[in-house]
Amino acid sequence: MSSKRKITFISSVTTPERAYENIPELKDFDVKFFQMHESSKRVISEAPDTEFIIADAMGRVDGELISSLKSLKLIQSEGVGYQGIDLECARRCGVTVCNNKGINDTAVAECTVFLILACLKNYENGVRAMYDGKQIEAKKAAFGVTRELCECTVGLVGFGDIAKCTARLLNAFGARVIYTNRTRKAELEKEYNVEYADLDTLIESSDFVSLHLASCEETRNTVNASFLSKMKKSAYLINTARGDLVDNEALYNALKNGEIAGAGLDVISPEPVQADNILLSPDIKDKLALTPHIAGITSLTVKKLYRQCFENIIRVINNEQPINIVL
């Protein structure tokens, strides 16, 4: 039996090649790799003595797996999310859970602004028009209609690290930025050039409503029919946070019926997104700007991701406190 310390990856994106490229030190460990969708029973069977799990931020680490791995010391999320980890079981079993908070702030903020601009400039329909030989028609449709971002109010729902980064970028465009949050951050408002508003005021007055919330029981389906009915008909919903913050059917109906102008989405629930998802219906295609949940996975973010995961493992081995503990 190997005397090397044991690490298990459970991820939809991590391959052995990618892991070893970014963490050369893994050669000194006993490492196993599983896909995010694989059963807990298989992981238990093939990696029964694992001490460290590095899990996909969208993945599931259930109670059966945690309680069966008697040597488990740390569950480390590859990203910011950890909603798929059974925290109560981890607590009972004395297993530390950490995430990579702050790792992709700039990357996700950039994608948020990209989707805002894509909606504002009707980017995807413009591209289709070019391929269809209808450049002049698209130009005429935009003439005197397309706004600049400096004319718009952007409302940030939540004011964590990504929202703050987004506010900084929006300031460069001259946009008015308002935010709502569970607790007001008055001490930060001048620094980030933002104004506080309650949720209803933000929804009703924003040209873009951008979601920056964690996924939990309290926040799921935050964007429902009532939420969407309060938005301007000319407004857009932006989601680079989590797909389950949005009630898909409610958003589909709002787009189909012209209750809002459109949406820019990096995330759609459930994942992996299938072609029959209601938000991919052809009849609302012209009202959407989409990216395939890539906002946070730039080359720089990925390098930081693996390095921080590995550094937390080393901290635990050295009986030091890891960073970004969520439990």
Side-chain angles (χ1 to χ4, degrees):
M1 182 176 291
S2 172
S3 61
K4 293 181 178 180
R5 310 301 292 262
K6 296 171 175 61
I7 300 174
T8 296
F9 285 86
I10 305 175
S11 174
S12 64
V13 294
T14 293
T15 61
E17 295 76 18
R18 183 172 286 128
Y20 283 104
E21 176 186 354
N22 286 278
I23 315 173
E25 298 94 331
L26 285 180
K27 68 181 185 298
D28 297 322
F29 290 76
D30 181 356
V31 187
K32 290 185 169 61
F33 298 87
F34 299 89
Q35 286 293 306
M36 186 173 76
H37 62 268
E38 293 194 66
S39 72
S40 295
K41 285 183 171 56
R42 184 180 172 201
V43 179
I44 294 165
S45 172
E46 297 185 19
D49 299 322
T50 197
E51 300 170 87
F52 310 100
I53 288 177
I54 299 178
D56 194 299
M58 299 297 292
R60 188 164 177 261
V61 183
D62 61 27
E64 178 187 13
L65 180 58
I66 296 169
S67 60
S68 298
L69 299 177
K70 302 305 182 184
S71 299
L72 187 62
K73 298 176 175 62
L74 172 71
I75 303 170
Q76 171 71 55
S77 171
E78 288 182 325
V80 179
Y82 55 90
Q83 64 269 23
I85 300 171
D86 188 331
L87 296 180
E88 182 55 39
C89 184
R91 181 181 292 108
R92 289 198 308 270
C93 295
V95 176
T96 302
V97 180
C98 298
N99 72 346
N100 264 329
K101 179 180 182 294
I103 195 171
N104 57 7
D105 299 349
T106 300
V108 178
E110 285 181 356
C111 189
T112 301
V113 175
F114 167 78
L115 288 171
I116 290 172
L117 291 171
C119 291
L120 191 64
K121 309 301 183 184
N122 201 16
Y123 172 74
E124 295 203 14
N125 287 323
V127 170
R128 284 193 285 269
M130 292 291 287
Y131 277 103
D132 292 340
K134 297 180 179 179
Q135 182 243 331
I136 296 302
E137 291 88 336
K139 188 173 181 178
K140 284 180 179 178
F143 190 78
V145 175
T146 301
R147 291 172 295 168
E148 297 179 26
L149 198 40
C150 65
E151 301 175 82
C152 300
T153 296
V154 180
L156 307 177
V157 181
F159 202 60
D161 295 331
I162 293 170
K164 291 170 192 169
C165 221
T166 301
R168 283 200 190 281
L169 295 179
L170 291 169
N171 285 335
F173 288 89
R176 177 186 177 223
V177 183
I178 60 178
Y179 79 98
T180 194
N181 198 58
R182 220 168 12 178
T183 55
R184 182 174 179 176
K185 307 286 187 179
E187 71 281 4
L188 298 176
E189 290 168 13
K190 184 176 180 181
E191 178 183 353
Y192 290 94
N193 192 25
V194 295
E195 306 165 36
Y196 177 79
D198 62 69
L199 180 60
D200 281 350
T201 300
L202 181 145
I203 296 170
E204 292 163 4
S205 58
S206 295
D207 299 295
F208 293 90
V209 176
S210 184
L211 304 180
H212 299 277
L213 299 171
S215 172
C216 62
E217 196 61 42
E218 181 184 351
T219 60
R220 286 186 193 106
N221 291 333
T222 291
V223 178
N224 53 24
S226 174
F227 184 110
L228 292 160
S229 71
K230 297 171 187 174
M231 291 176 62
K232 299 178 184 179
K233 288 186 180 297
S234 59
Y236 296 84
L237 178 74
I238 306 295
N239 189 8
T240 54
R242 285 288 180 262
D244 63 6
L245 300 177
V246 176
D247 180 327
N248 288 357
E249 187 172 355
L251 179 56
Y252 169 80
N253 289 331
L255 293 168
K256 189 174 187 299
N257 298 329
E259 294 174 32
I260 63 173
L265 308 174
D266 182 57
V267 286
I268 296 174
S269 182
E271 288 198 30
V273 182
Q274 302 299 313
D276 61 354
N277 190 293
I278 193 171
L279 292 179
L280 299 182
S281 300
D283 54 352
I284 59 170
K285 183 178 181 180
D286 63 343
K287 296 186 177 181
L288 290 174
L290 302 174
T291 48
H293 200 170
I294 58 170
I297 53 174
T298 63
S299 59
L300 180 58
T301 293
V302 169
K303 288 175 184 175
K304 290 192 293 184
L305 175 160
Y306 287 112
R307 182 48 47 188
Q308 290 189 29
C309 287
F310 183 69
E311 288 177 359
N312 262 358
I313 288 173
I314 296 302
R315 286 187 177 94
V316 172
I317 289 173
N318 292 335
N319 295 315
E320 298 170 356
Q321 182 168 292
I323 62 170
N324 295 325
I325 295 174
V326 298
L327 174 65

